[in-house]
Amino acid sequence: MGGALTLPALSRAIEESTSPYQRPKLQITDIRTAEVMVHGLQTHVRIYTNQGLIGEGESTDAAVGTAALVRSFRRFLIGKDPLNVDALWERLRTAGIFAGAQGGQYITALTGVEIALWDLVGKALHLPIYQLLGGKFRDRVRMYCDSDMEDPLGAEAERKLPWIQSNGFTAMKIDIDQARDPARFDAVNWTASNGEIDRMVSWVKHTRESIPKEMDLAVDMHGRYDAPTGKRVAIAVEPYRLLWLEEPVPPEDIDAMADIRHSTKTPICCGENLYMRWGFRELLDKQAADIIMPDLQKVGGLSEGRKVANLAQTYYVPFAPHCVVSPIGTMATAHVCASIPNFLVCEWHWINHVDLWRSFVKEGEIIKEGYITVPDRPGIGVEMNEQAARRAQVPGTGWFEPSKS
Ligand code: MG
């Protein structure tokens, strides 16, 4: 033994770091963040432990200010056992009831932490996250390509539509809201004129006729328009058999969304700006959406996203998550998609950042022929390639700097 550890001391050390069933006894020692700007802002969260294991999570969209919020969570997390993910999540949520923990930045910050905890649990127990969520219904998760086009009639479409097909995607999305439409009469009011509605329909028609019949087409209005416009557009695009029309009106007025949904044969999709189970309960109860699309990098996390999916299943509503993050957050989302019965399709939104997408994690390209195969590696199952990721670091921000206090 060389005198380093006596046998009783060694036995005590093993006992202190594991349970009789080899369950690791972990303690959180630090939480750090890094911010990258790709499709909007993403906050990456790392949770460190006393045994060298590190969990990694990612949050987005309502991410401005979340690095400071994550720092404020340290006092609830340091010294705690990271394996009790739901309990830690509930402690942080209830701690913030008077600090905005009903949605927005607070829940987005909590989401990044929750995903890092799941990654940590998987690494500690040597299991992929889908296995921790109850196992998988499918090996492969179907992805759709958001085409991120300014003008679906122009040269950009001529370049992107063949690219989307040749990369094996079986579904895609276009945006039809347009602040600079010359047929708009008012810069503030969003009641679309006949000219605007004709332009929207022509974009849908042209795209539908430019892609194979088998490829599904989703269309996004970004919740910008008002109720009469939403209703008219939903009815006008009925001949094109869309996969869905996304947020023809903002999601806050559930009755307005329900009115549009019940007035049209076009399936209505909603939910990228709703938070936690409470955000989806009324939407589902009033049958205001045919399809829901929580964003798992802001809805509250992987466990919360799965609970929302299970709630939707009781209404026979499919789950098609919004997803605009790096391969780390996308793969975390894929684990949830594999673990629920009512998964439809998941978003991929980095078509304008393909080189960074393919180098952001050490595993390289994770989407093969339009699908992600959930890996059997522990945790999320992908590891950041720091050199590539730092190309998108937000200037003036730290990169997983140790906490000072
Ligand atoms: Mg959208």
Side-chain angles (χ1 to χ4, degrees):
M1 293 298 291
L5 266 181
T6 62
L7 214 51
L10 181 63
S11 145
R12 210 163 39 244
I14 291 171
E15 221 167 78
E16 280 166 10
S17 62
T18 61
S19 75
Y21 301 100
Q22 307 303 312
R23 178 187 185 280
K25 282 185 183 168
L26 286 172
Q27 272 191 353
I28 297 171
T29 54
D30 202 0
I31 300 110
R32 306 178 193 171
T33 59
E35 293 171 71
V36 304
M37 184 72 80
V38 186
H39 179 77
L41 177 65
Q42 283 89 47
T43 302
H44 288 262
V45 177
R46 282 188 188 159
I47 299 184
Y48 297 73
T49 62
N50 60 341
Q51 293 187 33
L53 287 176
I54 301 169
E56 178 130 1
E58 181 175 11
S59 59
T60 196
D61 274 7
V64 176
T66 53
L69 278 163
V70 169
R71 270 199 303 281
S72 78
F73 295 162
R74 291 184 71 241
R75 66 194 175 97
F76 296 104
L77 296 171
I78 304 282
K80 296 292 193 312
D81 179 350
L83 302 193
N84 295 315
V85 179
D86 280 8
L88 291 174
W89 184 91
E90 186 68 354
R91 179 73 186 96
L92 289 169
R93 186 187 71 80
T94 52
I97 283 172
F98 296 93
Q102 291 73 32
Q105 271 85 352
Y106 193 99
I107 296 303
T108 301
L110 176 52
T111 297
V113 169
E114 195 263 15
I115 295 172
L117 287 170
W118 277 117
D119 187 41
L120 200 46
V121 177
K123 286 169 176 166
L125 303 181
H126 306 288
L127 288 171
I129 289 175
Y130 76 77
Q131 202 73 69
L132 303 168
L133 297 175
K136 58 184 174 182
F137 287 87
R138 55 190 66 78
D139 296 323
R140 296 193 314 161
V141 169
R142 183 188 178 207
M143 305 297 293
Y144 75 86
C145 180
D146 187 297
S147 60
D148 209 352
M149 290 192 284
E150 283 291 310
D151 175 10
L153 304 184
E156 194 183 4
E158 282 174 32
R159 179 168 54 82
K160 281 183 172 173
L161 297 187
W163 188 93
I164 292 167
Q165 290 167 60
S166 66
N167 278 273
F169 288 99
T170 54
M172 61 166 286
K173 188 160 86 183
I174 61 167
D175 303 330
I176 58 170
D177 55 301
Q178 182 54 266
R180 294 183 301 279
D181 192 314
R184 280 190 81 184
F185 291 116
D186 189 289
V188 180
N189 177 287
W190 282 87
T191 312
S193 65
N194 284 342
E196 285 177 273
I197 292 177
D198 287 347
R199 191 263 312 155
M200 290 186 223
V201 174
S202 75
W203 283 12
V204 173
K205 180 174 189 288
H206 178 79
T207 308
R208 181 64 274 171
E209 289 170 355
S210 304
I211 58 177
K213 194 159 64 68
E214 299 74 26
M215 184 176 289
D216 282 324
L217 177 63
V219 171
D220 197 352
M221 293 175 74
H222 285 122
R224 292 175 119 166
Y225 293 89
D226 60 15
T229 302
K231 199 179 286 191
R232 289 182 70 197
V233 172
I235 292 167
V237 297
E238 281 175 359
Y240 306 104
R241 300 173 72 197
L242 299 185
L243 181 60
W244 68 68
L245 182 67
E246 188 166 313
E247 302 201 328
V249 288
E252 292 88 1
D253 187 336
I254 302 295
D255 291 316
M257 191 73 76
D259 185 39
I260 293 171
R261 193 223 157 186
H262 295 298
S263 74
T264 179
K265 292 198 281 283
T266 299
I268 302 297
C269 182
C270 174
E272 68 181 273
N273 292 311
L274 300 176
Y275 292 87
M276 303 185 289
R277 281 155 284 172
W278 297 276
F280 286 87
R281 190 179 63 169
E282 190 187 355
L283 182 83
L284 290 163
D285 207 34
K286 290 187 168 166
Q287 301 186 313
D290 294 275
I291 298 158
I292 57 160
M293 49 139 184
D295 186 317
L296 300 196
Q297 277 68 49
K298 65 201 246 199
V299 75
L302 306 184
S303 186
E304 191 63 15
R306 189 165 180 277
K307 289 167 188 170
V308 170
N310 292 157
L311 182 65
Q313 195 204 358
T314 68
Y315 295 87
Y316 317 123
V317 167
F319 173 90
H322 180 257
C323 188
V324 296
V325 289
S326 82
I328 295 171
T330 304
M331 188 61 92
T333 297
H335 283 278
V336 175
C337 297
S339 81
I340 54 162
N342 51 330
F343 166 69
L344 175 64
V345 67
C346 175
E347 181 168 15
W348 177 70
H349 207 117
W350 279 30
I351 192 170
N352 292 338
H353 315 278
V354 172
D355 288 345
L356 185 58
W357 169 265
R358 289 179 174 161
S359 57
F360 201 93
V361 292
K362 291 176 182 170
E363 290 73 14
E365 177 61 87
I366 61 168
I367 304 177
K368 305 275 162 63
E369 290 300 309
Y371 287 81
I372 290 179
T373 300
V374 279
D376 282 321
R377 293 182 289 274
I380 296 173
V382 291
E383 197 183 336
M384 183 188 281
N385 171 6
E386 304 239 353
Q387 212 181 356
R390 290 198 77 161
R391 282 171 21 211
Q393 181 177 357
V394 176
T397 61
W399 190 260
F400 301 111
E401 304 293 338
S403 306
K404 290 193 180 70
S405 55

